Amino acid sequence: MELWHDHLPLCLPSMASHPPWSLLAQAMATAGLLLPVLALTSPGAVAAELNLDGVGHYAGRQDQVTSVGQFSDVRPGDWAYQALSNLVERYGCVAGYPNGTFRGGQAMTRYEAAALLNACMDRVSEVTDELKRLTTEFAKELAVLRGKVDGLEARVGELEATQFSTTTKLNGMAVFVVGANAFGGSAHKRVNEARAVEGGTTFNYNLELNFDTSFTGKDLLHTVLRAGNFADSAFGNGQGLNELEVAFQEVCNDPINCRDVLGIDKLFYQFPIGKQWTATLGPVVGQEDMLAVWPNVYPDDTILNLFTFNGASAAYNQNRGAGAGLWWKNEAWSVSANYVAAAGDTASTDQGGLGNLNSQGSGSIQLAYAKDNWALAGIYSYVQQNTEVPNTTPLAAVDWAVSGPGHINTFGLSGFWQPLHAGWFPSISAGWGLNSYSYDQGVSTGSLSQSQSWAVGLQWNQAFAEANVLGFAFGQPVFATSLTGSQTPKDGNYAFELWYKFQVTDQISVTPAMFCLSRPEGEFTPSGKTFNNFGGLVKTTLKF
C-alpha cells in the first residue's frame, strides 16, 4: 500500500508528525472556513479504499448535528475540539454517524474529504448569498448611512482645519455680582463715613479666560487672562477693610489703571520629572500653583477671600509673581517647595528683582498626606518685608508694611474631611495659622510681634436638590496677638458667610450670599465703641 504523502507535491512539509487529515484541517482553519474536523484522525493513518457510503454520508448531511456535544466520542480535551465546535455551530456542515459518534481518529479518503469540504463551501455560499440579498434589500438605507458618514467625515475635516489649536484647550468664566454693604455699631461717626464711601449698591463683573496647552500630553502651559471692575465696588477693599475682599474679583496692583483691562493673571509651565517629581516655573505664577496638595475642599463657590486660604492666610498667602517650585508625590505623601517674588520683574534692586531684600518674596515648604476623602498638611513660609499678607486686620496689615526691613516666619496646619456620598453630613475644612515677626533693626515699642488666624468651612453637596450646594464658614482673619514691649492688643475680629448655589444648568449657577464682620477694624475701632459690617450679594456664574 502506498503512503498518502507519496502523491503530494514535494513543497509540502513533512507529514510525519500528523496524518494528512490533520494538515488538511489546519489548512482549512487557516482559511477561516473548516477548522479541524478532520484533524481528529489518528496519527500515522494511511489512505483507505474509496468508501462510497462514507462519501454519501458527508454529502447528504442527513445526520447533521447542531452541537458538538451530540458526539459521544468527542471530548473537550481533544486538541481540535474548538475547531470542530466552530464548524458544527457556526457553519452547520458536519454530520455524525448514526450511532452518535464522530470517530475523529478514523482514517479518511480524499473523496470523503472533498465531500466534506464541498458541504461546507455550499454552506458558506448560502451565507454569502443571504448577505447579498440583504445588501440589495437595504440598499437605500445603507446609502443613507454612507451619506451621513461621509457628511460627518467632512465636518470633522472642517473642524480640524479651522480649530483654535491642536494642543490648547480654552475655557472661560464670567461672573456678575450685584450687592451692597451695611454698617452698624455705636461708633456713629465711623458708621456714617463707611456708609458714604461704601454704602452704595453696585453691579460688577469678573472675566477669566483659561488656556491649557500640552506639548507632550504630560506637561502643561497654563495661561489666564483676566479683567474686572471691582476696584471701586462695594467689595473693593476700601476703608481699610482688608478682609472684605471677595474671592472672585480681579487681581491688580494698580486698580485704577487695571479697570476693565484684560491682562495676564497667570502664566506658568509645569512638567513631570520622572514618575514622582513635578516642576513648575513661570513669570506670573502663584504659590498655590506649586503645591502638590491644597488641603481644603471649601468652598465650592467662593465669596469672601478669607475662607479660601485654609485658615492660615500668611502661610498660604498665594503670593504671585516670578517663581519656581518642585514637588514630590508618592501615593498619599507629598512634599512641596517653592519661591515666588512679587517684584521679580523689576530691575531696580531698591524696588525689586529676584533673590534680594526688596523682592517681595516668599518661600514655602509643605508636607501633606492626602487620601480620597481627607487630607492633612503642615506648611512653613518665609515672607519678606512689604509682601502682601491678605485677609488681615488694619493693625496686622499696616504695621507690617511700615515696620521693615524684616521678615515673617509663618506656620499653618490645615486639613479636610468629606463624606464619600452626599447626605446630611457636610464636608469639613479647617485650618490655623501662627505668624512670628522679625525685624532687621530696632523698632518702637508696640510694633507687631505675633499674629494668628483660623477658619472652619462646612459644605453640603446636593443640598435640597441635586447639584445645588449649601455653604457656611466662620473664623478670624489674621489678627495681632502680641506686640513688642510685651503689649497685648485688642485686635480680635470674627467673620462668617452663608451662601446657597442654585445650579441652573451645567454651565450657569446663581448664588445668593450674606456675610458679616463683627469688628473689621480690630484695634483701630474707636475706643469704647462698636463697629460692624454686614453685606449681601447675588453672584451669577457662567462657564463656557
Side-chain angles (χ1 to χ4, degrees):
M1 180 180 294
E2 294 178 330
L3 294 178
W4 175 269
H5 56 75
D6 290 340
H7 300 281
L8 293 178
L10 296 178
C11 61
L12 293 180
S14 170
M15 311 262 179
S17 59
H18 290 289
W21 312 118
S22 300
L23 295 176
L24 178 59
Q26 291 177 359
M28 294 177 181
T30 302
L33 270 176
L34 298 181
L35 303 167
V37 154
L38 313 175
L40 300 176
T41 57
S42 59
V46 296
E49 295 182 358
L50 177 61
N51 184 342
L52 295 180
D53 292 337
V55 174
H57 165 70
Y58 281 105
R61 302 169 57 189
Q62 65 272 19
D63 296 319
Q64 171 64 44
V65 295
T66 58
S67 172
V68 71
Q70 294 177 246
F71 294 129
S72 60
D73 58 344
V74 175
R75 301 288 183 269
D78 294 333
W79 74 273
Y81 176 85
Q82 188 59 50
L84 178 61
S85 177
N86 289 342
L87 283 173
V88 172
E89 297 172 8
R90 183 182 301 177
Y91 296 103
C93 59
V94 176
Y97 287 90
N99 62 356
T101 61
F102 178 68
R103 302 180 190 178
Q106 179 174 304
M108 188 182 217
T109 67
R110 291 172 67 98
Y111 289 105
E112 290 172 318
L116 177 57
L117 179 59
N118 182 68
C120 287
M121 290 298 293
D122 287 343
R123 180 59 180 158
V124 172
S125 296
E126 292 176 10
V127 174
T128 302
D129 291 341
E130 182 65 16
L131 289 175
K132 289 180 179 179
R133 186 188 67 78
L134 291 173
T135 301
T136 301
E137 181 177 347
F138 292 99
K140 293 182 179 179
E141 290 79 0
L142 291 173
V144 171
L145 290 175
R146 190 178 299 111
K148 289 182 178 180
V149 171
D150 292 342
L152 289 174
E153 289 179 349
R155 292 180 64 184
V156 169
E158 182 180 355
L159 288 173
E160 290 178 346
T162 60
Q163 64 182 328
F164 166 70
S165 171
T166 58
T167 60
T168 302
K169 293 182 178 180
L170 167 63
N171 63 79
M173 179 175 67
V175 177
F176 301 159
V177 177
V178 178
N181 288 303
F183 302 93
S186 60
H188 299 299
K189 182 180 178 181
R190 182 69 188 92
V191 170
N192 291 333
E193 290 174 352
R195 287 173 178 171
V197 176
E198 294 186 89
T201 300
T202 60
F203 188 177
N204 303 94
Y205 79 92
N206 176 70
L207 174 68
E208 291 183 32
L209 299 176
N210 299 280
F211 300 84
D212 289 328
T213 303
S214 180
F215 305 102
T216 66
K218 297 181 179 180
D219 60 343
L220 172 66
L221 174 64
H222 186 60
T223 307
V224 180
L225 301 180
R226 196 171 184 182
N229 63 351
F230 277 88
D232 297 323
S233 73
F235 315 106
N237 193 23
Q239 293 292 299
L241 307 184
N242 188 270
E243 63 271 25
L244 182 53
E245 183 178 342
V246 289
F248 39 80
Q249 70 169 296
E250 80 282 5
V251 177
C252 181
N253 295 326
D254 187 358
I256 296 177
N257 293 328
C258 286
R259 181 188 178 103
D260 299 318
V261 175
L262 188 67
I264 299 294
D265 185 64
K266 291 285 182 71
L267 179 60
F268 63 85
Y269 182 60
Q270 195 168 79
F271 57 93
I273 302 175
K275 295 182 178 180
Q276 297 178 325
W277 295 88
T278 299
T280 307
L281 71 159
V284 190
V285 62
Q287 173 211 44
E288 70 278 13
D289 301 313
M290 298 182 285
L291 297 175
V293 172
W294 190 253
N296 193 348
V297 292
Y298 179 93
D300 178 81
D301 204 11
T302 54
I303 305 299
L304 291 182
N305 213 26
L306 162 66
F307 297 113
T308 66
F309 284 73
N310 308 329
S313 297
Y316 289 101
N317 52 72
Q318 296 189 10
N319 195 20
R320 186 177 62 101
L326 187 67
W327 78 58
W328 170 87
K329 193 171 186 179
N330 181 22
E331 295 182 353
W333 287 101
S334 68
V335 179
S336 307
N338 59 72
Y339 169 78
V340 179
D345 58 346
T346 303
S348 171
T349 56
D350 292 335
Q351 299 178 4
L354 294 173
N356 62 53
L357 293 176
N358 299 307
S359 297
Q360 298 178 35
S362 63
S364 302
I365 298 176
Q366 176 185 266
L367 174 65
Y369 185 86
K371 301 295 284 185
D372 291 339
N373 68 322
W374 67 274
L376 185 65
I379 188 173
Y380 163 76
S381 291
Y382 178 95
V383 182
Q384 284 184 310
Q385 62 184 9
N386 297 321
T387 303
E388 180 182 0
V389 177
N391 313 308
T392 72
T393 63
L395 174 61
V398 175
D399 190 281
W400 172 239
V402 301
S403 298
H407 66 272
I408 316 175
N409 292 300
T410 71
F411 303 88
L413 183 63
S414 304
F416 71 86
W417 173 87
Q418 58 184 344
L420 294 175
H421 304 286
W424 289 104
F425 291 100
S427 65
I428 303 173
S429 299
W432 168 77
L434 177 65
N435 317 303
S436 177
Y437 299 76
S438 297
Y439 302 96
D440 296 340
Q441 59 190 26
V443 294
S444 60
T445 298
S447 295
L448 189 60
S449 174
Q450 190 178 85
S451 66
Q452 296 186 42
S453 61
W454 63 272
V456 176
L458 308 177
Q459 181 169 294
W460 290 262
N461 294 326
Q462 299 184 20
F464 308 115
E466 186 175 356
N468 291 358
V469 183
L470 172 67
F472 173 73
F474 59 95
Q476 286 186 275
V478 176
F479 64 101
T481 56
S482 178
L483 304 178
T484 58
S486 300
Q487 295 187 16
T488 301
K490 298 178 181 179
D491 199 40
N493 168 44
Y494 293 88
F496 82 82
E497 67 179 20
L498 176 67
W499 51 270
Y500 185 77
K501 183 178 76 171
F502 296 90
Q503 195 67 46
V504 181
T505 70
D506 290 340
Q507 289 77 36
I508 301 175
S509 64
V510 177
T511 306
M514 62 179 182
F515 52 85
C516 181
L517 306 175
S518 69
R519 198 164 173 257
E521 296 190 333
E523 177 85 352
F524 295 164
T525 304
S527 178
K529 303 292 183 178
T530 60
F531 175 74
N532 54 64
N533 177 193
F534 180 83
L537 59 85
V538 176
K539 170 185 171 185
T540 302
T541 303
L542 304 97
K543 297 181 179 180
F544 53 91

